[in-house]
Amino acid sequence: GVVVEGTSTLNTSALTGESVPREITVDQDVISGCVNLTGLLKIRTTKEFGESTVSKILDLVENSSMKKSKSENFITKFARYYTPAVCYSALALAILPPVINLIMGNPAAWSTWIIRALTFLVISCPCALVISIPLSFFGGIGAASACGILVKGSNYLEALSETKYVVFDKTGTLTKGVFDVTGIYPGREFTEDELLEYAAYAESYSSHPISKSLKNAYGKELDASNVSDVEEISGHGVTAKVNGRQVAAGNAKLMKSLNLAYTENTGVGTVVHVAVDGKYAGYILISDVIKDGAKEAIACVKKCVMLTGDSKTVAEHVAGELKLDEVHSELLPADKVSCVEKLLQDKSEKEKLAFVGDGINDAPVLSRADIGVAMGALGSDAAIEAADVVLMDDNPAKIALAMRISRKCLRIVYENIVFALAVKAICLILGALGIANMWVAIFADVGVMVLAVLNAIRCLRIKNN
C-alpha cells in the first residue's frame, strides 16, 4: 500500500534482509510482512491479497517444492528384485535337482532338497536390512534432535552427507540480525564513556532499535529525571537536555542542520553522531554482528555463497570477514530462487546444495534447494514450514554437526548392508550345497540381524562439540 498519513520506522529484515530499519513517511510504498516499530501509519491498500508480497512468496514456495525430487528408499528398490529372486531360487532348489536325478535314473529323496530349499529361504530372509537400516536413520535423527537439530526425514539426513554447497542468507543466519555498538569514537574533549552516556540518555525515550542498542551498550540504569525537552526529529535523530546540557544525537543530516563539522565514518554500519552544547562530541558505530558459529559452518563445505537483500557494502563486509566464496546482495525473494536455480544447474548430480535462512523471504529458496535449513528459534513460521532441517538454537555451527551426524549414520548404514549381504551370500551358497544346516541359517537370519541392530545403535552416540 501507500502511506497517506504518519511517519514511522519499519523493520523489513524478514522480507528483504535489510538489517537497518527503514524510515517511512507520506506517499511512500510499503509491502506486506513489514513490522511497524515506532509511529502510527495510515495506509491505503493498492493490491489485493493474491497480489501481495507475502502471497507471491507462498506461491513461490509451492512451485519450488514441486521441483524437488525425492530419492527412492534403498530397501524398496532392493526388495523389488531380491524377494522374487530368492523365492524362485528356493523353489528351483526344491524341485529341479530331484527331477533331474529322476530323469537320469538316480532317484533322490525329495525331503533332502526341500530341507535345503527351506534352509535357503531362512538364510535369505532380509531381516538385518529391513530392521537395521531404518533403525540407523532413526538413531541419526534422534541424535540430531538431542543436539537441537530437527531433521524432517531420513532422506534429508542422507542428503546432508552429500552436501558440498551451502548457500546462506545473511541477516539472522550468519549475523545476529540485531544492532550492537561495535565502535565508539569520541572527539577531543570527550571520553568514550561520556559519549555513550550522552547518546544513551538522549535516546532514552525512543523505542527505535538503534536507541535500544545504545541503552544496552551503556548498561546502567537511566534516571529519567536527568532528561528533559526531548524532541524527535523524523529522519534526523533526537535532541534533549541531559543534566542541563543540550545534546543532539542522530545522523549526518542532523549535524548539517546544526551547522556542525563531523567526522566521516569509515566502518560499515549505522552511525550515530553526537553533539553537546553546540560542539561535536564524536560518533558511535552500530552494526549487525556476525554469529559465533558462522566460521565453523563455512569451514565444513566445498563452496559457500551468501544471498541477501541487504546493501552491497554491508554484504561485502560480512563476506570479507567470513571469507565466503561468493556473495550476491540487494536481492528480492524471486532473485534468490533464480540464483539457487543457477547453482543447482552448475553443480554435479551427486553433489547436494543446502540453503540456510530464517526469514519469510527465504521460504521459496528453502523449498527449492536440495536441503533447506531454517533457524528455528527466531525464524519465521513460513521458513520453518518450508525447511527440511531446523536448527532450534539458531547456531550456524550446528550445520557442521548435522553433516557429521549424517556421515556417521550413512557409514553405519553401509557397514550393515555390506555385512548382511556378504554373510547371506556365503551362507546361501553353503545352504544350496547342503553344507550349511538350519542352525547356520538361523545365525544368518537372526544372528546377523542382532549384530546389525547393535551396530545401528551406535548412531545415537554423537559427540556434540
Side-chain angles (χ1 to χ4, degrees), residues 390-452:
V390 181
L391 308 181
M392 294 310 297
D393 61 358
D394 287 348
N395 183 0
K398 290 290 178 73
I399 298 166
L401 178 60
M403 289 181 183
R404 196 162 73 246
I405 291 170
S406 172
R407 285 167 188 149
K408 180 177 180 179
C409 178
L410 263 292
R411 187 170 66 247
I412 290 170
V413 166
Y414 294 141
E415 285 172 2
N416 283 341
I417 291 172
V418 172
F419 172 67
L421 292 181
V423 171
K424 284 186 181 295
I426 293 168
C427 291
L428 283 172
I429 295 168
L430 296 176
L433 296 174
I435 299 171
N437 57 20
M438 190 60 75
W439 290 107
V440 175
I442 291 169
F443 168 76
D445 179 22
V446 181
V448 170
M449 179 198 71
V450 171
L451 291 173

Side-chain angles (χ1 to χ4, degrees), residues 229-291:
D229 301 337
V230 179
E231 183 184 355
E232 190 162 344
I233 305 167
S234 180
H236 289 69
V238 296
T239 60
K241 278 193 176 179
V242 180
N243 292 324
R245 303 187 74 176
Q246 185 67 33
V247 178
N251 55 26
K253 293 177 185 177
L254 182 62
M255 295 298 107
K256 287 177 182 177
S257 68
L258 297 173
N259 296 318
L260 292 176
Y262 59 91
T263 305
E264 291 286 352
N265 166 45
T266 55
V268 175
T270 301
V271 176
V272 178
H273 295 282
V274 182
V276 180
D277 289 336
K279 291 182 180 178
Y280 183 67
Y283 71 93
I284 298 169
L285 184 63
I286 298 170
S287 56
D288 203 355
V289 180
I290 293 171
K291 287 185 178 179

Side-chain angles (χ1 to χ4, degrees), residues 49-121:
F49 172 75
E51 298 176 351
S52 68
T53 305
V54 171
S55 177
K56 287 179 179 177
I57 287 172
L58 293 174
D59 184 56
L60 279 170
V61 171
E62 291 171 6
N63 290 334
S64 296
S65 61
M66 289 170 65
K67 297 178 184 176
K68 183 185 285 186
S69 61
K70 305 290 183 183
S71 59
E72 259 193 303
N73 191 295
F74 168 77
I75 298 172
T76 306
K77 289 194 287 185
F78 180 75
R80 191 181 301 162
Y81 304 103
Y82 180 78
T83 304
V86 295
C87 288
Y88 286 125
S89 298
L91 186 63
L93 188 61
I95 296 173
L96 291 180
V99 170
I100 292 170
N101 284 330
L102 189 63
I103 292 170
M104 295 178 67
N106 298 316
W110 283 80
S111 60
T112 302
W113 291 101
I114 290 172
I115 289 170
R116 286 191 188 184
L118 292 173
T119 303
F120 186 91
L121 273 178

